[in-house]
Amino acid sequence: MKVLIVEDNHHVAETLADYLELEGHTIDCAYHGLGAIQLVKDNHYDVIIMDIMMPKIDGISAVKKIRQEVLCDIPILFLTAKDSLEDKIAAFQAGGDDYLVKPFAMEELCLRLQALASRGARKDVGLLHFADITINQSTGEVLRAGKPIKLSRIQLKILSLLVKKAPAIVSRQEVIDSVWGDDAPGSDALRSHVYGLRNAIDKDFVEPRLETIHGQGYRLKA
């Protein structure tokens, strides 16, 4: 296996790396959350070992970014001295797959890593859901009630924003800022894209999802 160890204590990281290398695995190390995020962007790993208490970005925050922003589906094992139920809940909610409390037996760590690697990549990373709409952020695939929906790049950006915010109302300005940034389109461009999006996701269904709230913006309704 290729394993990423994220641990701010250099002695602990070296001890783990030495043991796992003797077991035949290839090891990279990061000593804070920011370093871990960069390594995950640049490399493929079979499993990640993640501490929680670290400088710059703690392990919980790092895993959230790895799952939600990098869209990384690699199994992650939290290895930490924090043993409260609240810590464990936070770790799994952030996107962790296993949790091992220090002190621990190296043999158990290896068994857990092998089990995670055998299980393979997570299937839920990068998926956005609301009602019967699903967006795969990695592939751009959109489904409504299991039926593929073909969208333009701009329409996909608008729908992704609405799904993330649903069922809240998203203002026209927020859509423009999120989709176009400083390069704002002409006054009719957003209306045209929303019209096309509404046709794509609602035309073959009895229950409409996309709603325009006059003077406020847009929302998806359940």
Side-chain angles (χ1 to χ4, degrees), residues 188-201:
D188 291 333
L190 176 57
R191 186 179 297 108
S192 175
H193 285 297
V194 170
Y195 176 80
L197 175 60
R198 179 179 284 110
N199 280 341
I201 66 172

Side-chain angles (χ1 to χ4, degrees), residues 54-69:
M54 294 185 295
K56 297 189 179 181
I57 295 183
D58 65 88
I60 299 290
S61 299
V63 170
K64 286 180 181 178
K65 289 181 176 292
I66 286 169
R67 294 295 192 219
Q68 298 173 12
E69 298 179 18

Side-chain angles (χ1 to χ4, degrees), residues 47-53 58-60 63 67 75-105 108-109 111-113 115-116 119 122:
V47 67
I48 298 170
I49 300 172
M50 180 72 65
D51 190 17
I52 291 181
M53 299 299 293
D58 65 88
I60 299 290
V63 170
R67 294 295 192 219
I76 297 174
L77 180 146
F78 277 95
L79 184 63
T80 175
K82 297 175 72 66
D83 61 355
S84 73
L85 177 59
E86 290 77 12
D87 292 324
K88 294 175 183 178
I89 290 172
F92 282 107
Q93 288 180 339
D97 300 280
D98 200 357
Y99 196 103
L100 185 58
V101 177
K102 301 173 182 177
F104 58 92
E108 180 180 1
L109 174 64
L111 288 172
R112 288 175 181 249
L113 294 178
L116 288 175
R119 191 185 304 167
R122 292 176 62 128

